[in-house]
Amino acid sequence: RKEVEQDPGPFNVPEGATVAFNCTYSNSASQSFFWYRQDCRKEPKLLMSVYSSGNEDGRFTAQLNRASQYISLLIRDSKLSDSATYLCARGAGSYQLTFGKGTKLSVIP
Amino acid sequence: NAGVTQTPKFRVLKTGQSMTLLCAQDMNHEYMYWYRQDPGMGLRLIHYSVGEGTTAKGEVPDGYNVSRLKKQNFLLGLESAAPSQTSVYFCASSYLAGRGQETQYFGPGTRLLVL
């Protein structure tokens, strides 16, 4: 089992919809998790950090389920500008991060 | 602040040629990283550094060397480029400050094509 797994998508959703992605991880000792957003041909940019049960920032909510070893990202009221690839990452010790391969989201007018 | 910068932005090499990618950060971060990103493979760590003068191997270090002579710079070298090293290379840095210490900030990337 890969350390961090994501459904590659693409997820095609209409504007205004709510969409959720899951990310599963295999190392139960992981303490920190992150969601990054990556636009086409650009660098990843931090969207949210998740250390305890979850985090919320406007339309974005991240939830951590340690028992089932996954984190989720919920996007409410999707905008066209939310179209991107969303990368999940977990802290891997020694200040390293292990990334998933990303989930592609396309928000359709 | 410029954040993390990378040079060059794009380069074409012939097999066997050498080159150095430069990463610079002006945030006084202790930690710096080099990743490569390939379609279907995600971000893979090549080498990283936990401070000036120190480097360590990541997941895919073969064919690459690195140096961290100054805290703000992290160099990635390809001594003899191979087509398998065609990729997008990202540099990142992070700071040492309790919770959030693993948050990494990425440069804009270098696109390398090896023919």
Side-chain angles (χ1 to χ4, degrees):
Chain A
R1 181 180 179 183
K2 296 194 184 302
E3 290 197 55
V4 179
E5 291 196 63
Q6 297 182 251
D7 182 341
F11 284 62
N12 299 315
V13 302
E15 268 187 291
T18 295
V19 61
F21 314 130
N22 278 348
C23 168
T24 59
Y25 61 94
S26 58
N27 187 334
S28 60
S30 297
Q31 296 295 316
S32 55
F33 302 87
F34 304 85
W35 282 104
Y36 280 78
R37 171 197 168 120
Q38 186 173 24
D39 293 297
C40 188
R41 302 177 73 83
K42 298 288 189 180
E43 72 272 24
K45 292 185 178 178
L46 181 68
L47 181 65
M48 300 183 79
S49 305
V50 186
Y51 297 100
S52 55
S53 60
N55 195 3
E56 184 172 333
D57 184 5
R59 297 183 294 110
F60 299 84
T61 300
Q63 294 284 345
L64 171 61
N65 186 317
R66 290 192 183 275
S68 300
Q69 294 187 205
Y70 74 86
I71 64 170
S72 62
L73 179 67
L74 181 77
I75 305 175
R76 291 180 295 276
D77 189 22
S78 298
K79 312 290 185 190
L80 294 176
S81 57
D82 293 334
S83 296
T85 296
Y86 291 84
L87 306 176
C88 166
R90 71 162 186 88
S94 300
Y95 307 101
Q96 296 180 54
L97 293 180
T98 299
F99 286 87
K101 296 180 182 179
T103 296
K104 185 174 182 179
L105 171 66
S106 293
V107 181
I108 305 163
Chain B
N1 288 350
V4 181
T5 58
Q6 293 183 232
T7 52
K9 288 184 170 52
F10 179 70
R11 184 78 182 268
V12 178
L13 288 180
K14 294 181 179 178
T15 297
Q17 287 185 317
S18 63
M19 78 165 294
T20 300
L21 284 68
L22 171 64
C23 175
Q25 53 93 5
D26 60 3
M27 298 176 282
N28 201 34
H29 285 175
E30 290 290 334
Y31 301 91
M32 297 187 74
Y33 313 82
W34 275 108
Y35 293 91
R36 61 178 289 174
Q37 187 174 40
D38 304 290
M41 298 298 294
L43 282 163
R44 292 183 292 171
L45 183 64
I46 304 172
H47 286 279
Y48 65 100
S49 168
V50 300
E52 183 178 317
T54 70
T55 63
K57 294 180 180 180
E59 178 186 356
V60 288
D62 293 343
Y64 305 95
N65 56 75
V66 289
S67 64
R68 183 102 180 265
L69 299 179
K70 294 183 178 180
K71 185 177 183 178
Q72 63 268 33
N73 296 337
F74 195 27
L75 306 179
L76 178 70
L78 287 73
E79 290 187 350
S80 179
S84 60
Q85 294 178 304
T86 293
S87 188
V88 180
Y89 292 86
F90 287 105
C91 176
S93 69
S94 64
Y95 56 88
L96 173 63
R99 176 176 269 195
Q101 61 194 8
E102 294 153 313
T103 303
Q104 294 183 12
Y105 300 86
F106 286 80
T110 294
R111 297 183 177 278
L112 176 65
L113 175 61
V114 183
L115 300 175

